[in-house]
Amino acid sequence: MDNDLNVTSFITFAGHVEVEKYRYLYFMIMLTVYILIICSNSTIVYLIWNHQNLHEPMYIFIAALLINSVLFSTVNYPKLLIDFLSERQIISYSACLFQVFAYYSLTASEFLLLAAMSYDRYVSICKPLQYQTIMTKTNVNVLLVAAWLVPACQVAVSVILSAKKKLCAFTLNGIMCNSTFQTLHCVRSTVLNVYGLVVLVNVVISPTIFVLFTYTRIFIIVYRSCREVRRKAAQTCLPHLIVLINFSSLTVYDVLLLRMGTEFPKIVSFIMTLQLLMYHPLFNPIIYGLKMKEIYKPLKSLFCKMP
């Protein structure tokens, strides 16, 4: 009976700032950003798919990362755009659970894809003679499938456990369903908190440590190499590190600070949530499209051909 009540319950978002006054401004800004995200990420993916010289593991992982950004945005932006134009910002509990599942599984996938990219760079720079043997097409496909499947399975367990919890509150202090949705439960679950911590370690903290470890090894080796090797390593590794640092900082805010119940002014929470939704889907194609020479050349050629 409680499960049936939860499914038919509606959650109200209370995190919007003066949405009645600025609804059309919010809508136009976010619609523009969403279109930019779709176009910019899709363009880089198209270039990688269309140019044979980019059919290498590093660029395949970049394409997967950008596809992940498009999926992440598509999960969140349409609902946000509808809310800006609606008199009431509400969502069914079942839809809220789906948003939580998609949001966190795709967020975790980003960390695992960054880890796969760092491993590819590590093998390429530190074990160049074994690169073709290690980074085979089969191994690349396994890493890609694991990057999406492992987080989805682990987050799904948390969502299924949450769906069985009884609700005693129906107002969420945010503009989307994130880790704070557990505050709606009548009783906070120790099992959910512990399992959430395990998932956080598995798909966020461990990949981050792995990336930092591999790039430390890379920089130690290239430091002893010639200037050309150092330049090439910087061109391919620094973009990944920049993306990781920025994304990790925003994820820490979302997963840890909000989960700990830290109180922030409403405007601060609103801005930080928008940054989570906007920053890396817009940032990734800029970093990989403009900072990586092999992608920038066909990108420049594409725009030069346009009338």
Side-chain angles (χ1 to χ4, degrees):
M1 185 67 181
D2 288 339
N3 288 343
D4 293 338
L5 181 62
N6 288 348
V7 170
T8 58
S9 298
F10 281 88
I11 311 302
T12 300
F13 294 125
H16 291 273
V17 177
E18 298 192 48
V19 68
E20 298 84 3
K21 184 177 180 181
Y22 298 111
R23 67 171 72 251
Y24 297 111
L25 177 62
Y26 288 154
F27 178 84
M28 290 307 301
I29 291 174
M30 296 307 290
L31 179 62
T32 302
V33 169
Y34 184 43
I35 292 172
L36 284 174
I37 288 170
I38 298 295
C39 293
S40 59
N41 285 277
S42 299
T43 299
I44 304 298
V45 171
Y46 167 76
L47 290 174
I48 293 172
W49 173 76
N50 196 49
H51 288 76
Q52 194 67 34
N53 65 310
L54 298 179
H55 291 184
E56 297 178 8
M58 179 176 67
Y59 303 109
I60 292 173
F61 288 132
I62 290 174
L65 193 72
L66 300 182
I67 291 171
N68 197 70
S69 293
V70 172
L71 294 174
F72 176 86
S73 300
T74 302
V75 166
N76 297 295
Y77 275 76
K79 172 57 180 165
L80 200 59
L81 292 171
I82 292 171
D83 283 345
F84 286 142
L85 296 181
S86 302
E87 292 298 323
R88 297 178 61 203
Q89 291 74 46
I90 60 174
I91 187 172
S92 68
Y93 187 59
S94 56
C96 183
L97 289 174
F98 174 77
Q99 189 176 53
V100 168
F101 165 74
Y103 177 83
Y104 284 111
S105 61
L106 291 172
T107 297
S109 292
E110 179 126 350
F111 282 97
L112 292 178
L113 287 170
L114 288 170
M117 292 163 69
S118 71
Y119 179 68
D120 173 74
R121 291 301 83 207
Y122 171 77
V123 175
S124 175
I125 295 172
C126 302
K127 299 181 179 182
L129 298 180
Q130 303 175 45
Y131 183 79
Q132 297 297 331
T133 304
I134 296 174
M135 298 306 295
T136 62
K137 184 177 181 180
T138 300
N139 289 340
V140 169
N141 289 335
V142 168
L143 289 173
L144 289 174
V145 171
W148 274 304
L149 191 60
V150 170
C153 292
Q154 295 194 9
V155 174
V157 173
S158 180
V159 171
I160 291 170
L161 291 174
S162 296
K164 297 179 180 179
K165 302 290 290 183
K166 184 179 179 181
L167 300 182
C168 282
F170 299 93
T171 300
L172 203 58
N173 293 322
I175 62 174
M176 58 177 289
C177 292
N178 55 17
S179 60
T180 58
F181 85 102
Q182 291 187 18
T183 61
L184 304 175
H185 297 159
C186 297
V187 180
R188 296 295 293 271
S189 171
T190 303
V191 173
L192 270 176
N193 287 333
V194 172
Y195 182 76
L197 183 61
V198 171
V199 174
L200 180 68
V201 171
N202 286 343
V203 297
V204 175
I205 297 177
S206 295
T208 302
I209 293 174
F210 178 78
V211 171
L212 295 176
F213 171 77
T214 54
Y215 283 133
T216 299
R217 293 285 299 161
I218 288 171
F219 289 137
I220 289 173
I221 290 176
V222 300
Y223 179 76
R224 303 168 183 167
S225 305
C226 64
R227 180 178 297 180
E228 179 62 24
V229 173
R230 291 199 295 270
R231 184 187 65 81
K232 185 177 180 180
Q235 282 183 343
T236 57
C237 294
L238 285 180
H240 307 314
L241 278 178
I242 292 171
V243 170
L244 176 69
I245 292 169
N246 289 320
F247 193 55
S248 298
S249 301
L250 292 170
T251 304
V252 165
Y253 164 81
D254 180 74
V255 175
L256 294 182
L257 296 183
L258 289 181
R259 198 179 183 90
M260 287 163 46
T262 306
E263 292 293 332
F264 290 95
K266 190 174 182 179
I267 183 67
V268 173
S269 297
F270 182 68
I271 293 172
M272 288 299 293
T273 303
L274 289 181
Q275 283 195 65
L276 279 162
L277 297 176
M278 295 169 60
Y279 199 72
H280 73 98
L282 279 175
F283 196 66
N284 286 350
I286 294 174
I287 284 292
Y288 296 118
L290 300 181
K291 296 297 182 181
M292 300 192 72
K293 183 175 65 176
E294 290 79 2
I295 296 178
Y296 177 71
K297 285 182 179 179
L299 181 64
K300 183 179 178 181
S301 176
L302 176 66
F303 282 103
C304 287
K305 291 179 182 179
M306 295 177 66

